[in-house]
C-alpha cells in the first residue's frame, strides 16, 4: 500500500513538471505610449498558446501553424528543443492598470501585472528668491498631470532634505496634481531643487531655483562708519595743511624790509672797521689808486668797477659770528655780504 502511494506521488510530480509554465516579468511598469514586453515559456506539450490583456485575447499561437492572431503587438520566437518560449511586445499601452495572462489550451496559465504611468509638469512656484540673511523662506513645489501621484523630493545644494506637507488631488481627467512645501532658514545662498519620480521613470524630473541671501545693513552701523570716515578725513586734512605750511615758511624765511640792505651794510661796515682795528685788507682794490706800482691794477680795477660795483670783497676779520642772511634790494638785484672767519 505504501509503495502504491509513492508511485502516485511520483506520477503527479512528473505531470506537474511537464505542465509548468513561466511568464516574465511578474510585474512591469512603463510610461504611457511606450511598449511592454513579456516572455511566456513552457516545457509541457501544447498545441495552442493564448495571450490575454485583461479579458481580451490579443495573441494566439499554433504549435503547428505559428502566429494566428495579433492585435497591437509584436511576437518573437525564442524556443529551444526542450522549452517553448515566445515573446509578446505590446505597443502603445493605455493609461490604466492591466493584467497579462499566458496559457496553453487545456493546460496551465500564468499572469503578470502591467502598470502604465504618466508624467506631467513640475515647477517651484515663485522662481529665484532673494532674501535677507536669517529670514525663514517657504518654497512650494507643484506637479500637474501625473499618474499615479509622483514622489516628491527636496534637495538643498545636492543633499536630500525631509519632505513635509505633501498633498495630492485627482482631477477630472484621472491625473494627479501634487503640492509639497519646503521651509528653510536663509543662512547662505543655496541651490534648491525639487524632484518628481515614478517607478517607470528612469531619471527624475526636476525644477531648480536659486536662493540668494543678502546682508541687511544696520543704520546705526552706517552712521558710525560715516562719523569714523569723517574723523579720519579731518585729521588727514590738518596733517597735510601743517606739512604744506611748514614747507612754505621754510622757503620764504628771508629779510623783506626795503631798507634792510642799507641798514645791514652800515652796521656791517662799522663792525668790520672795529674788528680790523685799522689793519690793511690785502684783498681790497681801490678804484682811485694813482700809484705807479699799482697802475696796472688800477686800470684793471677801473675797467671792472661797473661789473663789481655791487660786490665788494669784505675785510678779513676775526669773528665768532657765523650768521649769514640773504637780502633783496629795491631793484630786485641780490647783494650778499659774507664774513670770512680766520
Amino acid at each position: 500500500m505504501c509503495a502504491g502511494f509513492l508511485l502516485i506521488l511520483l506520477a503527479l510530480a512528473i505531470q506537474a513538471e511537464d505542465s509548468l509554465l513561466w511568464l516574465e516579468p511578474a510585474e512591469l511598469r512603463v510610461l504611457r505610449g511606450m511598449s511592454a514586453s513579456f516572455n511566456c515559456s513552457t516545457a509541457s506539450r501544447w498545441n495552442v498558446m493564448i495571450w490575454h490583456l485583461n479579458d481580451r485575447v490579443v495573441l494566439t499561437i499554433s504549435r503547428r501553424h505559428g502566429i494566428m492572431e495579433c492585435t497591437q503587438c509584436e511576437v518573437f520566437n525564442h524556443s529551444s528543443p526542450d522549452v517553448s518560449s515566445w515573446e509578446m511586445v505590446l505597443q502603445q499601452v493605455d493609461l490604466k492598470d492591466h493584467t497579462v495572462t499566458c496559457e496553453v489550451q487545456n493546460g496551465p496559465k500564468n499572469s503578470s501585472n502591467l502598470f502604465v504611468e504618466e508624467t506631467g509638469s513640475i515647477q517651484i512656484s515663485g522662481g529665484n528668491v532673494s532674501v535677507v540673511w536669517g529670514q525663514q523662506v517657504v518654497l512650494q513645489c507643484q506637479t500637474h498631470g501625473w499618474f499615479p501621484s509622483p514622489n516628491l523630493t527636496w534637495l538643498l545644494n545636492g543633499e536630500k532634505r525631509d519632505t513635509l506637507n505633501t498633498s495630492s488631488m485627482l482631477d477630472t481627467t484621472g491625473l494627479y496634481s501634487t503640492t509639497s512645501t519646503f521651509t528653510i532658514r536663509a543662512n547662505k545662498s543655496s541651490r534648491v531643487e525639487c524632484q518628481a519620480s515614478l517607478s517607470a521613470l528612469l531619471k527624475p524630473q526636476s525644477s531648480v531655483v536659486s536662493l540668494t541671501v543678502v546682508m541687511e545693513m544696520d543704520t546705526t552701523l552706517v552712521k558710525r562708519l560715516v562719523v569714523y570716515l569723517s574723523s579720519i578725513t579731518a585729521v588727514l586734512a590738518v596733517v597735510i595743511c601743517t606739512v604744506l605750511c611748514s614747507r612754505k615758511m621754510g622757503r620764504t624765511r628771508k629779510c623783506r624790509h626795503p631798507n634792510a640792505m642799507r641798514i645791514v651794510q652800515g652796521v656791517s661796515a662799522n663792525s668790520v672797521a672795529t674788528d680790523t682795528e685799522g689793519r690793511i685788507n690785502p684783498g681790497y682794490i681801490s678804484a682811485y689808486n694813482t700809484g705807479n706800482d699799482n697802475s696796472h691794477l688800477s686800470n684793471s680795477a677801473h675797467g671792472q668797477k661797473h661789473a663789481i660795483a655791487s660786490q665788494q670783497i669784505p675785510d678779513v676779520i676775526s669773528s665768532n659770528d657765523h650768521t649769514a642772511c640773504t637780502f633783496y634790494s629795491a631793484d630786485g638785484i641780490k647783494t650778499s655780504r659774507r664774513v670770512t672767519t680766520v
Side-chain angles (χ1 to χ4, degrees):
M1 181 175 180
C2 292
F5 181 74
L6 291 175
L7 291 175
I8 294 173
L9 290 179
L10 181 60
L12 291 175
I14 294 173
Q15 184 179 0
E17 183 178 358
D18 290 340
S19 62
L20 189 62
L21 183 144
W22 303 274
L23 180 61
E24 297 176 334
E27 179 180 300
L28 180 63
R29 295 177 182 270
V30 297
L31 294 177
R32 181 180 183 179
M34 297 181 64
S35 60
S37 177
F38 293 89
N39 286 280
C40 184
S41 303
T42 182
S44 63
R45 297 181 180 88
W46 63 279
N47 293 319
V48 178
M49 179 181 288
I50 303 171
W51 292 74
H52 299 266
L53 182 62
N54 299 326
D55 296 330
R56 180 168 58 93
V57 176
V58 293
L59 175 63
T60 303
I61 304 173
S62 171
R63 187 181 182 90
R64 178 178 298 181
H65 302 289
I67 301 172
M68 301 177 61
E69 179 183 1
C70 182
T71 304
Q72 295 182 347
C73 64
E74 291 182 334
V75 182
F76 301 94
N77 186 4
H78 303 292
S79 300
S80 66
D82 298 329
V83 178
S84 297
S85 179
W86 291 82
E87 178 185 3
M88 181 188 68
V89 180
L90 295 172
Q91 303 290 339
Q92 302 292 326
V93 291
D94 297 332
L95 185 62
K96 58 184 297 187
D97 295 341
H98 302 274
T99 300
V100 177
T101 304
C102 176
E103 64 175 338
V104 293
Q105 190 175 28
N106 300 324
K109 65 179 180 180
N110 207 338
S111 298
S112 296
N113 295 319
L114 173 61
F115 300 100
V116 181
E117 301 176 346
E118 175 77 5
T119 60
S121 63
I122 178 173
Q123 184 178 12
I124 298 178
S125 59
N128 296 332
V129 183
S130 296
V131 296
V132 177
W133 182 90
Q135 180 179 343
Q136 182 172 307
V137 182
V138 179
L139 299 175
Q140 192 175 70
C141 181
Q142 297 178 339
T143 64
H144 299 283
W146 291 69
F147 184 87
S149 178
N151 296 320
L152 298 184
T153 304
W154 288 93
L155 292 90
L156 182 63
N157 295 323
E159 296 183 359
K160 290 185 178 181
R161 296 302 177 105
D162 294 335
T163 301
L164 302 176
N165 302 326
T166 301
S167 60
S168 298
M169 182 179 63
L170 185 64
D171 59 22
T172 56
T173 62
L175 301 177
Y176 286 91
S177 295
T178 306
T179 302
S180 178
T181 303
F182 179 59
T183 303
I184 179 177
R185 182 74 61 179
N187 295 323
K188 63 178 181 179
S189 296
S190 305
R191 180 180 184 271
V192 183
E193 181 178 2
C194 177
Q195 291 184 347
S197 60
L198 293 173
S199 299
L201 192 61
L202 299 179
K203 182 179 179 181
Q205 293 186 8
S206 63
S207 175
V208 180
V209 297
S210 297
L211 177 64
T212 304
V213 178
V214 297
M215 297 298 294
E216 183 178 15
M217 295 300 294
D218 188 356
T219 56
T220 303
L221 179 62
V222 173
K223 291 179 181 179
R224 290 180 180 178
L225 182 61
V226 171
V227 172
Y228 177 73
L229 294 177
S230 300
S231 301
I232 293 179
T233 303
V235 172
L236 291 177
V238 171
V239 172
I240 293 173
C241 290
T242 302
V243 173
L244 293 178
C245 290
S246 298
R247 290 183 179 180
K248 185 175 182 181
M249 291 177 64
R251 294 176 181 176
T252 60
R253 189 177 297 170
K254 301 177 178 66
C255 297
R256 298 185 180 275
H257 194 277
N259 298 323
M261 179 184 69
R262 293 190 295 273
I263 295 172
V264 175
Q265 284 179 347
V267 174
S268 299
N270 294 334
S271 176
V272 171
T274 304
D275 293 338
T276 57
E277 297 179 353
R279 291 176 293 183
I280 298 175
N281 184 355
Y284 180 76
I285 300 175
S286 174
Y288 303 98
N289 192 332
T290 58
N292 295 329
D293 295 336
N294 299 324
S295 60
H296 62 284
L297 296 175
S298 176
N299 293 334
S300 175
H302 182 71
Q304 298 177 5
K305 69 178 182 177
H306 295 290
I308 63 174
S310 60
Q311 299 182 2
Q312 296 181 359
I313 299 176
D315 295 323
V316 179
I317 62 173
S318 297
S319 175
N320 294 324
D321 186 9
H322 300 283
T323 304
C325 184
T326 303
F327 304 94
Y328 289 87
S329 63
D331 56 0
I333 301 176
K334 181 178 180 181
T335 303
S336 62
R337 298 282 296 180
R338 294 180 177 82
V339 177
T340 305
T341 303
V342 295

